Amino acid sequence: MNIHLSVIPLVSLIAGVLILVMPKLLNYIVAFYLIAIGLIGMFGTGHFHLH
């Protein structure tokens, strides 16, 4: 059984939920999201393959 997990949509989902739950932390959540997406893009680890 192969599971293909994409990191970018997962990070987006977590950021969206955190913004809904804690709107006062919007600046920090957006900053963390941008840093995470930048690191994922730089290191090219957008997909993990689990077997």
Side-chain angles (χ1 to χ4, degrees):
M1 182 171 132
N2 292 333
I3 298 174
H4 299 285
L5 177 64
S6 185
V7 175
I8 295 174
L10 185 64
V11 172
S12 299
L13 181 65
I14 292 169
V17 170
L18 286 175
I19 289 169
L20 285 175
V21 173
M22 297 177 279
K24 291 183 180 183
L25 296 178
L26 178 64
N27 291 337
Y28 296 109
I29 294 169
V30 171
F32 173 75
Y33 174 78
L34 292 174
I35 291 169
I37 296 302
L39 290 174
I40 290 168
M42 283 176 51
F43 294 114
T45 57
H47 298 283
F48 291 115
H49 300 289
L50 304 174
H51 298 279

